[in-house]
C-alpha cells in the first residue's frame, strides 16, 4: 500500500518549532504501524497556512501525487485538510482520490463527511457563544475599548470556549472516571479518540482535573 502524507500547521511558529508537526507525525506513524501490514510512503508535504484557506500549494502537490501514483492521501486529523466541510466534501467526491485519517482508522468516506459537518457546527456554535459572552460582559459594565477591549475580548472568548468544551466533554470524562480510570488514563483515552481540549491541544491529567473542577457544583 502506497501513501502520500500531508500535514498542516496554522502558523510559522508552529512550523519552525515542530510542535504541531510532531503530533501529526506521531499519529500518522501510529496508524501505519498498527493498521497497515505493508506500506511505503512515497511523498510528504507540509503547508503552513490556516485551515480556512483552500488554496494550498503543498496540498495540491500531495493530491496530484496520490492520484497519479494511485496512492492513499493520509492525514493525522480531518481538520488538517480543511476546516470547511464543503472543501472536504469536494475531495471525498473525487473518485480518483483515496483518503485516510490516522485518528479515525476505520472511518469510511460517509462517516468522515458527517464528522466534518459536526465539527463545523461546533465551531459555529463556539463563535456564537463567544459573541454572546462579549455582549453579556458589556451589559455588566465591562469596558471594551482600546487595548483593554482586546484583552477583555480575549478573556471572555477563552472562558466561553472553555465552558462550552467542558460541557461537551465532561460526560465522557465522568464515564471514564466512574470506571476507575485515573486522570492520566482518562487523558490518554481522550487523546486516543481524537478529542481536543478547548485550545485545540492534547489532554493531560491536569487538563482533565481542570474540567472536573470547572464542572463541580
Amino acid at each position: 500500500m502506497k501513501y502520500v502524507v500531508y500535514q498542516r500547521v496554522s502558523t510559522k511558529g508552529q512550523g519552525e518549532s515542530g510542535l504541531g508537526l510532531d503530533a501529526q507525525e506521531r499519529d500518522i506513524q501510529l496508524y501505519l504501524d498498527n493498521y497497515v501490514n505493508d506500506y511505503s510512503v512515497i511523498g510528504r508535504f507540509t503547508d503552513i497556512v490556516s485551515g480556512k484557506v483552500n488554496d494550498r500549494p503543498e496540498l495540491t502537490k500531495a493530491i496530484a501525487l496520490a492520484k497519479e501514483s494511485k496512492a492513499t492521501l493520509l492525514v493525522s486529523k480531518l481538520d488538517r485538510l480543511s476546516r470547511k466541510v464543503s472543501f472536504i466534501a469536494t475531495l471525498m467526491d473525487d473518485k480518483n482520490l483515496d483518503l485516510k485519517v490516522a485518528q479515525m482508522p476505520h472511518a469510511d468516506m460517509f462517516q468522515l463527511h458527517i464528522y466534518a459537518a459536526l465539527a463545523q457546527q461546533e465551531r459555529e456554535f463556539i463563535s456564537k457563544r463567544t459573541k454572546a459572552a462579549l455582549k453579556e460582559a458589556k451589559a455588566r459594565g465591562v469596558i471594551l475599548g482600546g487595548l483593554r477591549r482586546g484583552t477583555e475580548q480575549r478573556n471572555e472568548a477563552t472562558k466561553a470556549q472553555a465552558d462550552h468544551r467542558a460541557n461537551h466533554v465532561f460526560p465522557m470524562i465522568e464515564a471514564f472516571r466512574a470506571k476507575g480510570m485515573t486522570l492520566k488514563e482518562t487523558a490518554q483515552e481522550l487523546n486516543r479518540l481524537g478529542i481536543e481540549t478547548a485550545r485545540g491541544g492534547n489532554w493531560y491529567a491536569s487538563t482533565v482535573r481542570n474540567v472536573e473542577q470547572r464542572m463541580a457544583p
Side-chain angles (χ1 to χ4, degrees):
M1 178 71 73
K2 294 183 292 185
Y3 287 91
V4 174
V5 171
Y6 175 73
Q7 300 173 113
R8 180 187 63 78
V9 288
S10 298
T11 67
K12 184 178 180 181
Q14 287 178 321
E16 291 176 346
S17 69
L19 294 176
L21 296 177
D22 286 347
Q24 293 177 57
E25 182 61 37
R26 176 204 63 204
D27 291 344
I28 287 169
Q29 198 59 50
L30 282 171
Y31 170 81
L32 292 173
D33 291 342
N34 291 278
Y35 297 95
V36 183
N37 291 325
D38 186 25
Y39 70 87
S40 63
V41 176
I42 63 172
R44 294 178 181 271
F45 300 85
T46 302
D47 275 312
I48 301 176
V49 65
S50 168
K52 297 178 181 179
V53 178
N54 291 339
D55 185 15
R56 282 175 266 151
E58 295 304 303
L59 177 57
T60 300
K61 294 176 186 176
I63 292 173
L65 178 60
K67 293 167 68 172
E68 176 185 318
S69 306
K70 299 187 182 305
T72 298
L73 181 65
L74 177 61
V75 295
S76 63
K77 295 171 59 180
L78 198 56
D79 66 7
R80 295 305 87 190
L81 280 177
S82 177
R83 293 188 181 277
K84 295 181 179 180
V85 66
S86 57
F87 181 76
I88 293 174
T90 299
L91 294 181
M92 292 180 178
D93 286 341
D94 191 333
K95 303 302 182 183
N96 296 314
L97 179 65
D98 187 27
L99 171 67
K100 279 293 182 181
V101 177
Q103 288 192 1
M104 293 182 284
H106 300 302
D108 57 27
M109 288 296 191
F110 175 75
Q111 291 169 325
L112 291 176
H113 196 158
I114 294 297
Y115 180 85
L118 291 174
Q120 181 169 302
Q121 284 186 11
E122 182 179 24
R123 287 191 296 271
E124 290 172 354
F125 182 85
I126 289 173
S127 175
K128 294 180 185 300
R129 185 177 181 128
T130 299
K131 291 177 181 178
L134 292 173
K135 185 177 180 179
E136 291 174 7
K138 186 176 181 180
R140 293 196 305 269
V142 176
I143 299 174
L144 302 177
L147 292 176
R148 182 175 177 79
R149 181 177 185 274
T151 300
E152 292 292 345
Q153 283 182 323
R154 286 192 295 273
N155 290 342
E156 292 288 345
T158 298
K159 183 179 183 302
Q161 187 172 356
D163 286 344
H164 170 69
R165 198 60 174 167
N167 280 311
H168 177 73
V169 78
F170 183 64
M172 283 181 281
I173 290 177
E174 205 172 27
F176 294 150
R177 299 283 278 153
K179 292 181 179 179
M181 295 173 66
T182 64
L183 291 170
K184 182 178 179 181
E185 290 169 340
T186 299
Q188 291 172 337
E189 184 65 13
L190 291 171
N191 289 331
R192 187 187 71 79
L193 292 171
I195 299 170
E196 295 181 339
T197 65
R199 296 180 179 273
N202 290 327
W203 289 87
Y204 300 94
S206 59
T207 44
V208 174
R209 183 175 60 250
N210 289 342
V211 170
E212 289 184 334
Q213 292 174 346
R214 181 181 290 272
M215 298 300 296

